[in-house]
Amino acid sequence: MISTGRTDKGRKRSNNQDSIFISDTPVGPLPNLYIVADGMGGHAAGDFASRYAISVVIDFIRKSTVRNPISLLKRALVYASNELFKEAEKDKDKLGMGTTMVAAVLVDRELYVANIGDSRLYIVSDDITQITMDHSLVEELIRSGQLERNKGRNHPEKNLITRAMGSRDEAMPDFFEITLEPGQKVMMCSDGLSNMVEDDEIRDIIQESAKPDEAVDSLINRANYYGGNDNISVIIISV
């Protein structure tokens, strides 16, 4: 298994509120762990939110004796969300901060995924499939039939998140389990990539790149070429 990732502040933002974590080796009872988080809430608060949430999740998992990946991810993300809310209440400059998160664990060929917000996980082969579902106003409009999917990318409220870690209400993740087939790759990203580069182009870049690190660099470069309106984070896992 080969994995790589990088985060970039993009061309329009003065700081990077994204954070990533990559471990091909065990983290607590999990055999590996991959996380992308996209922070929200002011110049410093969003940066803190994504980093802090990831650190709490990792610490929780390392101390846990729970071995079921879905149960462990659920407990870790809910706990981190509550801890993030407590931190926000301590500092008026951090009030309202939050973060999206997508986390994945690979056990043999079974991929276990948890997500809150609009950071995404895709499976890429000859085709590209988005596994996670965005917790966003635009996605709700699309699912209810009020908006065509091809118009969602340019919707004026495309960045409005309906679920995030750090909120007063319990932030319950969605969960997915996928059996990976030979030749498939996993791509995780923040919306700084998915809002700037079409899915088909993402697939082509990954498929045409000789190595995962080349694909990561090419995807970030392409998002910046199209404007780099937001922070950009990408993780690619090649089994």
Side-chain angles (χ1 to χ4, degrees):
M1 184 167 62
I2 301 172
S3 67
T4 188
R6 186 160 71 85
T7 183
D8 185 271
K9 74 175 183 178
R11 298 179 62 186
K12 301 293 179 66
R13 299 295 180 92
S14 59
N15 70 323
N16 193 349
Q17 298 185 345
D18 286 3
S19 298
I20 66 173
F21 176 80
I22 301 172
S23 179
D24 293 329
T25 56
V27 178
L30 299 179
N32 46 65
L33 182 62
Y34 311 93
I35 303 174
V36 172
D38 180 357
M40 303 167 287
H43 182 81
D47 179 13
F48 174 85
S50 63
R51 287 186 291 105
Y52 183 74
I54 287 179
S55 69
V56 174
V57 166
I58 294 168
D59 186 61
F60 185 94
I61 290 173
R62 282 175 173 158
K63 294 177 179 177
S64 178
T65 58
V66 176
R67 304 197 68 84
N68 180 278
I70 292 295
S71 297
L72 183 47
L73 287 175
K74 176 182 177 180
R75 296 184 189 190
L77 267 65
V78 170
Y79 177 77
S81 179
N82 293 334
E83 290 300 301
L84 193 60
F85 179 74
K86 292 176 185 177
E87 285 295 316
E89 287 192 312
K90 297 177 184 177
D91 185 347
K92 62 182 179 62
D93 292 331
K94 293 186 175 68
L95 282 175
M97 71 176 176
T99 186
T100 71
M101 183 173 289
V102 57
V105 178
L106 184 61
V107 183
D108 297 323
R109 288 173 54 196
E110 297 300 312
L111 184 71
Y112 301 93
V113 183
N115 86 289
I116 299 177
D118 63 353
S119 292
R120 296 178 177 179
L121 183 143
Y122 292 82
I123 301 298
V124 182
S125 54
D126 292 334
D127 201 355
I128 182 168
T129 304
Q130 181 181 335
I131 301 301
T132 54
M133 292 186 291
D134 297 349
H135 300 134
S136 66
L137 175 62
V138 164
E139 185 62 29
E140 290 186 3
L141 292 173
I142 292 171
R143 290 181 202 171
S144 65
Q146 300 177 63
L147 181 68
E148 295 178 17
R149 185 165 294 278
N150 60 0
K151 296 181 179 178
R153 183 181 296 273
N154 298 315
H155 194 279
E157 295 181 325
K158 66 180 179 181
N159 293 322
L160 185 58
I161 304 301
T162 57
R163 203 187 305 180
M165 296 175 68
S167 63
R168 183 181 297 272
D169 299 326
E170 185 173 272
M172 186 57 62
D174 286 343
F175 298 97
F176 307 88
E177 181 178 349
I178 308 97
T179 301
L180 295 180
E181 300 298 332
Q184 291 182 327
K185 296 181 177 66
V186 178
M187 196 276 289
M188 303 164 65
C189 67
S190 63
D191 66 344
L193 177 73
S194 56
N195 281 343
M196 301 302 297
V197 186
E198 296 282 356
D199 287 2
D200 287 350
E201 191 170 5
I202 291 174
R203 176 203 61 205
D204 291 345
I205 289 172
I206 292 175
Q207 290 297 81
E208 293 167 6
S209 300
K211 299 177 180 179
D213 57 345
E214 293 177 6
V216 167
D217 289 343
S218 295
L219 289 169
I220 290 174
N221 291 340
R222 190 64 55 89
N224 279 322
Y225 175 78
Y226 289 143
N229 294 337
D230 200 351
N231 308 142
I232 311 155
S233 293
V234 183
I235 293 174
I236 293 179
I237 307 165
S238 180
V239 181

